Amino acid sequence: MALIERLQRRASDWGLLPRLLQLLPRLAIISGIIGFAWLAVYLPLEGEFRRTYISENALMPSQAYSYFRETEWNLLRGYRTQVKDLVNKHSDERNGILGSWLEEIGVKTAIHHDPENRDTLYGVWNAPRGDGTEAMVLAAPWFNGDGEFNIGGVALATALTRFFSRWPLWSKNIIVVFSEDTRASLSSWCHAYHNNLDLTGGSIESAVVLDYPGTNDYFKYVEIFYAGLNGELPNLDLVNVAVHVTEHEGMKVSLNGAPESEIGEDDYPGRMQKMLLGIRKMALAGVQTCYGNEAFSGYRIQSIVLRARGKEGPFDITTFGRVPEAVFRSVNNLLEKFHQSFFFYLLLAPRYFVSIASYLPAAVAYSAAFILASLDNFLKSNKHLPMGANAAFRISLNTATTFVGSFLASFFISQVFLQWQKPLALVLASGLLSLIPLFPTDIKLSLAQSHQLKSIAFSYLSVVLTSLLVVNFALAFGIGLLAFPMIFLANTVSPRTGIKNTALLVLTNPFICSCLFANIFESQLPNLEIISRLISAWKELGCWTWFLICIGWLPAWITVAISSLPAVFGQSVVDKTKPLDVDTDADADIKKLQ
Amino acid sequence: MRFESLCVWAFAAFAFGVGGNSIDDELIIPDETESAGSGDQTCSIFGTSASSQENIEMEQLNTSSIEENVNARTSSEIENAGIVLFENNSIVRYPFDEELTLKPLPRNFMLASFAFQMQSNNLTVGKSEVSHDAYRHYTVFPKSLSPILEYSQTRELHLRFTHGRWDAESWGQLPHNGTKSGGSGVELWAVIEAASRDEAFENWIMLTNSLSGLFCSSINFINMEKTTYPVHSFQSSDQQPIPIFDTSKKAYLLRAALANEPICTENLTPFLKLLPTRGRSGISSLLDGHKVFDSNWHSLSMDVETVCDGDTCQYHMDANIEMVFNVQNSLARAENPIPKPLGDAELQCDESKPHNAWECFPLPQSKHIKFRLSELFGKKVVGSNLISENPSKVCAQVSDSWTVYLDIGDSLFSTDDNCFAIRDNELHDLHFQSDDTAHVVKSDDVPLFVSRSLTGYGQDGGGLRAVFRNPNNVTVDAIYFESLPWYMRLYLSSLEIESEDGLEIGDVIKSTFYLPAIDRQRPTHLEFNISIPAHTTVALSYQFSKALLKYAEYPPDANHGFEIESALITVLRPIRSEMRTATLLLSLSTPDFSMPYNVIILTSTVMGLAFGTLFNLMVKKLVTVEEADRKAAAKRSIKAQLIEYLARLKTNGNKTNQEKKRQ
């Protein structure tokens, strides 16, 4: 103990603790910067990521010769010509005709009726030698994520089913699903499968969604999408198998829709870009265009989307078909479950990944930044606390009620806007609330009060981020990064700082910030589209992002916004008579509580 | 390792059984002739097969048959063996019957049912095998089975090995109305005579362990956790009372199933060994593991019953091997084991749709078919069984669109009812030909369609949902039997019914027998008496929560889930029949087994920190810094102390050295 004692005394001699406490705001900022740098700068460095490998030996991708070729192409073309004729038909008629083909193959078919989200045709092909307890899904939505008629995909799924039915080697049942779209109807089928469908084929282990719009015979490269909802990822082994098989067939792989020109870029910026693209895709899964794998999230189903891109190129449609063939044969080999340690990863390239232990510090750094900022504010508020237990208690009480009020208001907003979809009102109200620092100066907070409010807001945010960072790393990181400027808010009365504070509040408002982000980075989500998509993602797919933003981020922001009311030194003089002229539900609630 | 040793055990048992059971052994003792043919017949056989040279040869052949099954000899060798064996047996008659029924099913499937029936000699009632010094005499009844039944006091034994899915919607009723097939995996039930339930259970364990060795399967894994005592289900259909040898005892019905047991050649070989023909002649010569287990559905069943007439009792045994082939696929596989893409010329395209060198919409499967039985099974029937009262029979249940010929040495025969008796040692084959394969003999209507699935997706709970569909015009009364492992904690209170016709639970479930599970001791045992009105579909569902297992209770290999055995539905009205649902795969939350290590380390750290702090607070004195400094100055430093100590050691050492030198 002597050594520690000596160190401690040396530290107290130097006044290390007070100095550190003084440095807290700077430490918080440094921590935030480290968080971003860790992920974007450090991880893509050579040596910080690993090459992917197949963890489960039984998978053995591409170890067997793929036979989906030669005359299978003729059959595929035969089906495709017929599918092409179905383009303009009603879904009942389409499902009827396709169902009859499947029955002919020997597949038991049924239609899942869902009045809200259209009907879904599906078929179960029972493995002749399997025990029928497990299944693999091959899905081909009639319309793909971009709204194109999935002619090639549907024809391919039918031809593959016929091809599969001739093989005796299956140990798992094969389920083919033809949903109307990649979003609500596929998700509704998946929900029904786990609840009340009469025709079932056992627990689903994996799902492959085929996306091949158009009648072109040839295509250029394959896109793989894997990010599931709510931070869920398919087992890396499945992605690895798909990548391995695709590259084995000679095709190029692009992950998460990275443009073709960037395929194969194995340099530092390329890796960084692809990783950040992957994180964006994960954080916005369900909100962005869904290609189909998102529908299987939450049911312990490993799912990926295979998309054929380009209208012409060196590869024909049967080459594309050999990818699901080989993936199915690999998954069929599984006697166990997918390895449990392979669910948390970031991909920097089709064959490079970083594991959870390497990337987690990035999100942890943001939680740390907020907890440091919270500590700093807490200490500062203690410094400014007025003498007398009564006054101090009143300040604490005010803080608590304000925070609880913000929380309830946020919850209220999250519920109201689910029904009353007016994103513009939400953004405008947020903008108005951001003007708080510029309010007439007769509403004033004591400095202690202001610091205390920030302290509680930041610690809340930190708790939210910490609990989220393993479950949904991308979202935790995203919220941490975007809400980070909040810690720069200063308490002064000068109008210049007021403007700066307003700008910071606007920047860190969950809704304005999401819209700004979407408009800069996501061309599919222009204007205020992202807010309505967040809401529909919850309604159609069960994606929590809307609630995480509303209940995790918004209460902290509202509390911080209130704390940035022009502050005075000394006693709190919260004006209770003069109403605030901001007409949001949130404000109304806060007023009442105050 | 365990399995291997089991098999070794079983092979040894067979070798012994075969050795002791060879034909001349049986024939030397002309005892208990009632069931073993008439006395003079037996004598005559004794007379004709007297050549000792030949007997030795036969024995060698018999013992070598074990390897033979492993190495799968060619049919010609077996044929030769058959001729040597049964050359001169034409007169002997034993209570053994065998029949093969072939029945085309829709969509080019074909059901092959092998039925074997045999009877034992008279049993000595009331005396145990050990105390009884009379000869035990076995003729066609398997010698390996009889002592097991006797030791374990088993009066009725039913064993099922089933695998695959019976497509009731297309194939209709199961063969024998489902009474001869089990759920996927192994299913075993027996009536055991015992003084108490405990004794019955002891006998049951003895029985399962013996059968496990006999059939090379994990039946010995049946324990308390898996055994149920069915109340309404599994009752024998015939009204005969179960014979009780000791009137002070009672009969107990015990039942268990192993859903995760893979059925394979290792189970078929012992099965064939139970037959007097041993798979060498008669219809059983067709049975080959490669073909049986390449079928879409197969079932091996064995039923032994004790039948008493007055004081004389006998074992009656039914053995059935049934399988469903896809004829087209099997024929194609015989030609080319890998289903490669067809050649351009072989493609059959729909002419009404665009078709050319690049494009082809496939035609439905051809309705014309012509094949031989030997193409399906890979061999021909090697003569009749030659020991039975009746010759082996092969029947084809076909409609008018089919023609069936019996082929003996390239000459074809046909009969009106398409049943053929196989009479001698020659190779028999069957020719099938049809212009319309879809036209088949209609199977019996299925009284009820049942399917069961797991619902939910959580790690902590889930639901079971069974769907009953009655397609007929009459109300169906049935018993739904379910035995669920204890780690599925069932909530019967959550029982719900889904019905489009507005049926209530009370309308469907007439009575319930429910025995809740006890952890690690007893499975959930559930029997519903249900009644499904005509043309209705009803879904029953209930919830369960998943228990956490102790870490050693997880299967040793990486976990894939726990199979839940099939539910049994015994239809009582309008016709008596049985059917089973598919098995299910339950995934329990599997801990990351490396996690305890992390947990231990973290907990220890936290405990250590807490203890250290508390300990410091308790034993240390709180002083100001100045005071501490003063004390520290007064105290010599460690370095000084150390130097002093070393110095002292040195001087001491010198002293001792000097003393040593002096000495």
Side-chain angles (χ1 to χ4, degrees):
Chain A
M1 286 306 272
L3 184 67
I4 293 176
E5 192 186 312
R6 191 173 292 187
L7 279 178
Q8 190 206 344
R9 288 192 43 196
R10 200 54 58 82
S12 77
D13 288 348
W14 288 344
L16 203 59
L17 192 66
R19 273 192 216 185
L20 274 177
L21 291 182
Q22 251 173 3
L23 276 176
L24 270 181
R26 240 175 272 175
L27 283 178
I29 293 165
I30 289 170
S31 173
I33 292 168
I34 286 177
F36 186 75
W38 180 275
L39 195 77
V41 182
Y42 176 67
L43 285 183
L45 280 176
E46 200 78 52
E48 298 313 317
F49 53 86
R50 294 163 71 188
R51 274 189 75 80
T52 56
Y53 59 96
I54 305 287
S55 169
E56 173 56 66
N57 288 324
L59 285 169
M60 299 193 288
S62 303
Q63 295 291 299
Y65 189 74
S66 296
Y67 284 98
F68 191 71
R69 53 180 85 224
E70 297 163 28
T71 52
E72 297 295 335
W73 196 357
N74 297 29
L75 299 174
L76 174 60
R77 282 202 188 100
Y79 280 122
R80 195 178 61 198
T81 309
Q82 299 305 311
V83 172
K84 205 169 86 186
D85 293 345
L86 300 178
V87 174
N88 295 317
K89 295 215 159 85
H90 188 256
S91 78
D92 291 348
E93 203 177 336
R94 265 187 273 137
N95 287 340
I97 292 171
L98 187 54
S100 70
W101 299 345
L102 291 175
E103 288 280 348
E104 192 50 57
I105 295 168
V107 174
K108 301 268 167 223
T109 61
I111 290 179
H112 161 56
H113 295 285
D114 182 349
E116 270 177 49
N117 301 314
R118 320 284 288 276
D119 294 351
T120 298
L121 169 76
Y122 73 102
V124 178
W125 187 75
N126 288 285
R129 285 154 79 171
D131 53 8
T133 55
E134 289 171 294
M136 303 179 277
V137 165
L138 184 66
W142 285 105
F143 291 92
N144 74 0
D146 300 330
E148 297 162 294
F149 197 84
N150 193 6
I151 299 177
V154 171
L156 193 57
T158 319
L160 271 174
T161 311
R162 187 177 188 281
F163 173 77
F164 287 158
S165 73
R166 293 175 54 219
W167 286 83
L169 48 80
W170 302 110
S171 69
K172 298 176 169 64
N173 294 339
I174 291 170
I175 303 179
V176 270
V177 185
F178 300 92
S179 66
E180 200 60 24
D181 60 35
T182 51
R183 223 176 136 86
S185 66
L186 192 54
S187 162
S188 147
W189 175 82
C190 206
H191 180 76
Y193 187 90
H194 292 91
N195 284 290
N196 53 11
L197 286 185
D198 289 355
L199 176 69
T200 56
S203 10
I204 302 174
E205 295 298 319
S206 72
V208 175
V209 183
L210 297 179
D211 188 337
Y212 194 115
T215 54
N216 44 311
D217 263 337
Y218 293 94
F219 69 98
K220 239 175 180 170
Y221 66 99
V222 175
E223 265 180 11
I224 295 178
F225 289 89
Y226 57 89
L229 296 178
N230 305 324
E232 200 177 303
L233 292 173
N235 195 286
L236 184 56
D237 263 345
L238 185 71
V239 181
N240 284 346
V241 164
V243 169
H244 189 104
V245 165
T246 316
E247 292 190 343
H248 182 80
E249 292 286 346
M251 291 171 277
K252 284 179 177 166
V253 179
S254 145
L255 293 178
N256 297 311
E260 194 206 349
S261 56
E262 288 171 17
I263 296 178
E265 271 180 16
D266 187 17
D267 50 358
Y268 179 77
R271 290 192 295 259
M272 174 160 53
Q273 253 176 3
K274 274 171 204 152
M275 186 180 60
L276 292 177
L277 176 69
I279 292 174
R280 236 164 62 202
K281 186 80 202 158
M282 271 165 74
L284 293 176
V287 182
Q288 286 179 324
T289 310
C290 289
Y291 290 103
N293 63 322
E294 293 89 347
F296 296 95
S297 289
Y299 301 96
R300 304 227 289 163
I301 299 171
Q302 318 308 325
S303 61
I304 50 165
V305 179
L306 299 171
R307 298 189 80 198
R309 297 307 306 271
K311 292 281 174 201
E312 50 201 38
F315 307 108
D316 69 72
I317 185 166
T318 54
T319 325
F320 185 66
R322 287 199 287 275
V323 179
E325 182 200 344
V327 170
F328 268 53
R329 291 211 43 187
S330 282
V331 175
N332 187 56
N333 287 341
L334 266 188
L335 273 175
E336 319 161 358
K337 297 244 173 248
F338 281 99
H339 273 187
Q340 55 199 359
S341 56
F342 244 37
F343 287 98
F344 302 100
Y345 55 86
L346 292 178
L347 285 172
L348 295 85
R351 300 256 189 180
Y352 295 142
F353 82 109
V354 279
S355 191
I356 183 162
S358 311
Y359 69 71
L360 211 53
V364 173
Y366 282 103
S367 314
F370 282 111
I371 207 84
L372 289 176
S374 163
L375 190 65
D376 177 44
N377 277 299
F378 179 71
L379 294 172
K380 280 182 184 156
S381 90
N382 275 0
K383 207 157 69 184
H384 296 288
L385 220 52
M387 288 306 178
N390 219 353
F393 176 72
R394 198 166 341 128
I395 284 178
S396 303
L397 193 68
N398 275 340
T399 311
T401 40
T402 312
F403 180 71
V404 171
S406 328
F407 186 83
L408 291 177
S410 305
F411 181 73
F412 191 62
I413 287 175
S414 75
Q415 295 299 322
V416 164
F417 280 86
L418 273 187
Q419 305 308 323
W420 187 64
Q421 293 192 21
K422 292 275 183 281
L424 191 62
L426 197 59
V427 170
L428 280 181
S430 306
L432 279 177
L433 202 60
S434 307
L435 294 176
I436 276 190
L438 302 176
F439 272 2
T441 42
D442 47 342
I443 312 165
K444 280 191 182 112
L445 290 180
S446 74
L447 208 53
Q449 178 81 72
S450 166
H451 280 304
Q452 214 169 52
L453 282 172
K454 271 192 214 162
S455 169
I456 196 168
F458 291 151
S459 66
Y460 174 72
L461 201 53
S462 171
V463 167
V464 168
L465 294 184
T466 312
S467 37
L468 195 61
L469 60 88
V470 174
V471 182
N472 194 346
F473 166 79
L475 197 60
F477 179 76
I479 292 180
L481 181 68
L482 297 178
F484 181 63
M486 260 200 259
I487 66 171
F488 291 107
L489 248 77
N491 305 69
T492 47
V493 268
S494 83
R496 248 184 93 182
T497 328
I499 291 170
K500 190 186 136 202
N501 282 356
T502 302
L504 284 173
L505 281 177
V506 168
L507 262 183
T508 56
N509 176 272
F511 307 113
I512 300 174
C513 181
S514 316
C515 290
L516 279 176
F517 182 82
N519 279 298
I520 296 169
F521 292 107
E522 305 290 331
S523 55
Q524 309 161 338
L525 304 169
N527 307 327
L528 309 177
E529 183 72 17
I530 188 167
I531 293 175
S532 31
R533 286 289 196 93
L534 277 169
I535 293 164
S536 76
W538 162 251
K539 284 186 171 169
E540 293 175 358
L541 300 167
C543 172
W544 308 329
T545 314
W546 167 253
F547 291 104
L548 284 172
I549 286 179
C550 280
I551 299 172
W553 186 354
L554 191 59
W557 183 82
I558 294 177
T559 315
V560 169
I562 291 169
S563 82
S564 67
L565 275 168
V568 289
F569 292 86
Q571 196 70 32
S572 134
V573 276
V574 180
D575 195 330
K576 287 177 191 168
T577 49
K578 188 164 169 126
L580 309 168
D581 50 358
V582 182
D583 57 345
T584 61
D585 304 303
D587 266 11
D589 260 35
I590 294 158
K591 265 185 286 174
K592 249 181 268 163
L593 283 156
Q594 279 178 341
Chain B
M1 194 59 216
R2 178 191 59 80
F3 200 68
E4 270 171 35
S5 61
L6 263 184
C7 291
V8 168
W9 189 91
F11 277 144
F14 286 131
F16 181 77
V18 167
N21 201 8
S22 66
I23 286 171
D24 59 337
D25 269 4
E26 291 169 1
L27 300 179
I28 288 165
I29 307 140
D31 196 4
E32 298 183 7
T33 44
E34 301 98 319
S35 59
S38 64
D40 54 357
Q41 277 166 345
T42 319
C43 287
S44 71
I45 206 85
F46 175 57
T48 48
S49 67
S51 159
S52 60
Q53 187 68 38
E54 214 172 282
N55 283 340
I56 293 161
E57 199 179 318
M58 273 189 281
E59 209 156 320
Q60 279 170 347
L61 268 168
N62 274 328
T63 40
S64 69
S65 66
I66 294 158
E67 291 107 306
E68 194 178 297
N69 262 286
V70 178
N71 299 329
R73 281 195 188 185
T74 61
S75 59
S76 64
E77 275 174 290
I78 289 171
E79 179 195 333
N80 289 338
I83 287 163
V84 175
L85 265 174
F86 301 113
E87 211 168 28
N88 37 26
N89 286 13
S90 52
I91 319 162
V92 76
R93 296 287 176 263
Y94 288 111
F96 174 72
D97 273 312
E98 59 175 22
E99 183 177 346
L100 166 63
T101 313
L102 295 152
K103 185 180 170 193
L105 298 169
R107 303 192 57 85
N108 281 320
F109 283 97
M110 161 97 85
L111 168 71
S113 295
F114 294 79
F116 307 92
Q117 288 179 332
M118 57 208 89
Q119 289 170 19
S120 72
N121 295 2
N122 284 345
L123 301 173
T124 40
V125 178
K127 286 180 189 162
S128 85
E129 177 118 332
V130 202
S131 61
H132 186 54
D133 57 353
Y135 267 114
R136 304 297 302 165
H137 187 50
Y138 305 93
T139 51
V140 287
F141 190 79
K143 188 191 173 188
S144 47
L145 209 53
S146 192
I148 298 176
L149 298 177
E150 209 144 307
Y151 280 130
S152 59
Q153 296 285 299
T154 305
R155 297 291 161 258
E156 252 185 51
L157 172 69
H158 306 271
L159 182 61
R160 305 279 184 268
F161 296 93
T162 317
H163 190 77
R165 179 177 174 275
W166 178 268
D167 183 358
E169 281 171 17
S170 157
W171 303 340
Q173 182 78 274
L174 278 159
H176 312 280
N177 283 344
T179 51
K180 300 279 183 197
S181 39
S184 200
V186 180
E187 197 171 339
L188 173 73
W189 68 99
V191 176
I192 290 175
E193 185 183 313
S196 66
R197 184 182 266 212
D198 289 343
E199 191 192 316
F201 184 77
E202 256 171 53
N203 287 344
W204 166 251
I205 292 301
M206 202 191 316
L207 176 71
T208 54
N209 281 317
S210 313
L211 289 177
S212 170
L214 197 57
F215 287 99
C216 273
S217 70
S218 331
I219 307 177
N220 57 328
F221 274 56
I222 289 174
N223 52 14
M224 264 206 284
E225 274 179 42
K226 296 197 172 80
T227 308
T228 49
Y229 301 82
V231 178
H232 303 296
S233 308
F234 297 100
Q235 311 296 325
S236 22
S237 48
D238 45 350
Q239 298 307 310
Q240 272 187 341
I242 292 152
I244 304 281
F245 292 174
D246 180 349
T247 44
S248 66
K249 293 181 175 178
K250 283 200 295 185
Y252 290 89
L253 172 62
L254 294 95
R255 182 259 176 197
L258 298 165
N260 56 349
E261 181 75 7
I263 312 302
C264 65
T265 324
E266 277 161 336
N267 308 120
L268 177 69
T269 312
F271 215 94
L272 291 181
K273 294 287 167 194
L274 296 183
L275 304 175
T277 54
R278 305 241 187 295
R280 305 277 216 85
S281 76
I283 55 168
S284 63
S285 60
L286 284 179
L287 290 166
D288 170 51
H290 293 100
K291 300 291 173 185
V292 172
F293 299 108
D294 193 18
S295 56
N296 284 43
W297 175 85
H298 45 260
S299 153
L300 279 59
S301 73
M302 187 185 83
D303 300 83
V304 184
E305 285 178 14
T306 314
V307 177
C308 289
D309 183 15
D311 286 343
T312 53
C313 289
Q314 289 174 337
Y315 290 131
H316 285 204
M317 173 164 154
D318 277 3
N320 290 74
I321 297 177
E322 273 145 354
M323 65 208 89
V324 175
F325 293 108
N326 185 314
V327 177
Q328 302 274 29
N329 285 356
S330 296
L331 294 179
R333 199 162 308 142
E335 215 163 89
N336 187 355
I338 300 172
K340 288 178 186 165
L342 295 173
D344 284 327
E346 293 164 78
L347 276 186
Q348 293 183 324
C349 303
D350 192 337
E351 311 259 320
S352 67
K353 298 192 166 98
H355 65 102
N356 50 37
W358 299 279
E359 190 170 340
C360 173
F361 189 87
L363 263 188
Q365 278 195 341
S366 164
K367 292 196 165 178
H368 297 270
I369 204 162
K370 189 178 174 184
F371 65 94
R372 278 174 292 137
L373 198 59
S374 54
E375 287 174 309
L376 273 186
F377 286 95
K379 32 183 157 172
K380 295 179 177 178
V381 183
V382 186
S384 188
N385 62 69
L386 300 177
I387 50 167
S388 157
E389 291 159 346
N390 307 309
S392 306
K393 231 166 112 185
V394 178
C395 281
Q397 279 183 21
V398 290
S399 69
D400 308 335
S401 324
W402 292 73
T403 39
V404 184
Y405 299 109
L406 183 70
D407 174 351
I408 313 170
D410 292 334
S411 41
L412 300 179
F413 303 91
S414 73
T415 56
D416 290 340
D417 57 352
N418 288 319
C419 274
F420 307 93
I422 293 176
R423 290 197 184 276
D424 42 26
N425 294 331
E426 292 209 47
L427 295 175
H428 290 62
D429 200 355
L430 233 57
H431 284 237
F432 285 83
Q433 208 172 326
S434 172
D435 301 329
D436 182 7
T437 51
H439 185 210
V440 293
V441 178
K442 205 175 165 294
S443 300
D444 293 340
D445 284 335
V446 182
L448 199 62
F449 291 107
V450 190
S451 69
R452 187 180 64 162
S453 57
L454 281 176
T455 61
Y457 38 83
Q459 291 268 23
D460 55 337
L464 267 178
R465 183 171 184 272
V467 183
F468 302 87
R469 182 162 69 85
N470 178 359
N472 304 308
N473 294 323
V474 287
T475 302
V476 168
D477 292 335
I479 296 161
Y480 180 78
F481 171 92
E482 200 158 49
S483 157
L484 300 170
W486 60 265
Y487 40 79
M488 267 173 96
R489 298 208 168 116
L490 200 68
Y491 300 115
L492 205 57
S493 57
S494 64
L495 182 71
E496 268 178 36
I497 190 166
E498 286 168 55
S499 157
E500 287 179 4
D501 308 285
L503 292 169
E504 298 291 318
I505 289 179
D507 301 333
V508 172
I509 299 179
K510 298 299 175 195
S511 68
T512 306
F513 174 87
Y514 176 49
L515 194 66
I518 300 176
D519 281 5
R520 297 175 181 86
Q521 280 180 31
R522 189 170 78 186
T524 304
H525 174 188
L526 194 58
E527 288 182 64
F528 287 132
N529 225 319
I530 54 172
S531 142
I532 313 285
H535 299 292
T536 49
T537 303
V538 163
L540 290 176
S541 60
Y542 32 84
Q543 305 298 311
F544 60 85
S545 65
K546 298 177 183 173
L548 274 177
L549 298 186
K550 289 179 183 165
Y551 85 99
E553 284 170 339
Y554 284 94
D557 53 346
N559 203 356
H560 131 114
F562 293 81
E563 271 95 351
I564 305 301
E565 60 189 71
S566 338
L568 166 76
I569 296 91
T570 315
V571 176
L572 306 172
R573 222 165 50 94
I575 46 159
R576 203 187 152 88
S577 75
E578 284 177 17
M579 61 204 67
R580 283 167 176 86
T581 63
T583 52
L584 300 170
L585 191 67
L586 177 78
S587 51
L588 294 184
S589 45
T590 312
D592 175 354
F593 287 110
S594 66
M595 211 59 175
Y597 168 77
N598 303 342
V599 172
I600 290 168
I601 286 182
L602 268 176
T603 331
S604 312
T605 312
V606 172
M607 296 273 284
L609 280 175
F611 174 76
T613 319
L614 273 177
F615 186 74
N616 271 345
L617 279 177
M618 286 192 299
V619 299
K620 284 199 172 169
K621 197 166 75 179
L622 221 57
V623 291
T624 61
V625 176
E626 290 76 29
E627 218 175 316
D629 280 341
R630 225 179 301 130
K631 281 201 173 165
K635 235 162 120 188
R636 286 165 304 166
S637 70
I638 290 180
K639 204 172 158 190
Q641 275 184 30
L642 208 68
I643 290 168
E644 193 182 313
Y645 178 71
L646 282 176
R648 210 187 304 152
L649 265 186
K650 217 173 175 181
T651 48
N652 277 351
N654 285 344
K655 267 182 201 166
T656 46
N657 277 348
Q658 284 165 3
E659 276 167 23
K660 271 181 194 165
K661 274 177 191 166
R662 264 179 227 154
Q663 281 168 358

